[in-house]
């Protein structure tokens, strides 16, 4: 079956770095998405990886290893506003997004 | 960037009534729109995939007669919750894929919070 695993919750300190891991198993693979979702709001797109390697976009970076079925989202210089849920989603061969349950990130001062 | 709107943002209704939620792509054409439901502290659950001009494809366990989806144009899809009950109270989110993009990124609407009394 298709499955996405990511930690339920993580805590980090303002100004620090945090890495949120995601492992996936899908029928075919057309890319890995990371979304940010604040409480009570819809998800917003952060990144997309389809090739192995690291994609950097400002304070956020996303990494993909297709052979390992593994991705991570790296957040640097954490700010209080980064407190949110981070959703990992893999796109299968039918271009359907398979969603993880999300990682709730708590930032402490 | 691509913008998706949803209307209404929130709605409270009595049990047994029907509620219509609109999803619009404002600055792009969306061949495919998706409807999700999210209960508190849970992940997004895909309800159905809607392609313009054809019938929606519903996920297993989603009643197509209860959740009516219409995708009449490339910029509008509607979800009608018929005979709503308190257990239908949830956060309903639509998303749209822009025609011709290389990775079928989904752009999300702001969501509609439905409370059924």
């Amino acid at each position: 079956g298709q499955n996405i695993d990511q930690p339920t919750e993580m805590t980090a300190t303002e100004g620090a770095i945090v890495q949120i891991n995601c492992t996936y198993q899908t029928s075919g693979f057309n890319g890995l998405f990371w979304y940010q979702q604040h409480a009570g709001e819809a998800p917003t797109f952060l990144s997309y990886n389809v090739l192995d390697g690291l994609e950097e976009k400002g304070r956020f970076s996303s990494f993909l290893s297709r052979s390992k079925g593994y991705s991570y989202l790296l957040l640097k210089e954490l700010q209080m506003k980064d407190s949110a849920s981070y959703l990992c989603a893999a796109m299968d061969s039918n271009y359907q997004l398979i969603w993880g349950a999300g990682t709730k990130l708590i930032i402490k001062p | 960037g691509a913008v998706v709107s949803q209307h209404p943002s929130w709605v409270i209704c009595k049990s047994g009534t029907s509620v219509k939620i609109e999803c619009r792509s404002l600055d792009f054409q969306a061949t495919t729109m998706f409807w999700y439901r999210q209960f508190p502290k849970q992940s997004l659950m895909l309800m159905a995939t809607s392609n313009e001009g054809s019938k929606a494809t519903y996920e297993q366990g989603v009643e197509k007669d209860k959740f009516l989806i219409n995708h009449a144009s490339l910029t509008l899809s509607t979800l009608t919750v018929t005979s709503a009950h308190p257990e239908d109270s949830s956060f309903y989110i639509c998303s749209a894929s822009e025609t011709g993009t290389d990775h079928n990124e989904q752009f999300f609407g702001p969501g509609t919070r439905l409370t059924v009394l």
Side-chain angles (χ1 to χ4, degrees), chain B residues 33-64:
Chain B
M33 287 185 170
F34 304 85
W35 286 97
Y36 293 87
R37 182 167 52 182
Q38 186 176 36
F39 293 104
K41 298 184 180 180
Q42 294 187 22
S43 189
L44 297 173
M45 291 170 45
L46 180 65
M47 298 175 68
T49 303
S50 159
N51 291 297
E52 185 264 338
S54 63
K55 291 184 179 179
T57 302
Y58 289 81
E59 295 299 300
Q60 196 171 9
V62 178
E63 300 173 58
K64 61 181 180 182

Side-chain angles (χ1 to χ4, degrees), chain A residues 1-6 22-32 64-71 88-93 96-100:
Chain A
Q2 307 201 97
N3 191 53
I4 306 285
D5 282 319
Q6 56 181 127
C22 170
T23 57
Y24 64 89
Q25 289 179 307
T26 56
S27 300
F29 180 73
N30 278 301
L32 194 291
L64 176 68
S65 169
R66 293 179 65 144
S67 63
K68 295 181 179 179
Y70 167 70
S71 173
C88 171
M91 184 168 277
D92 68 12
S93 57
Q96 191 93 284
L97 277 181
I98 312 302
W99 293 88

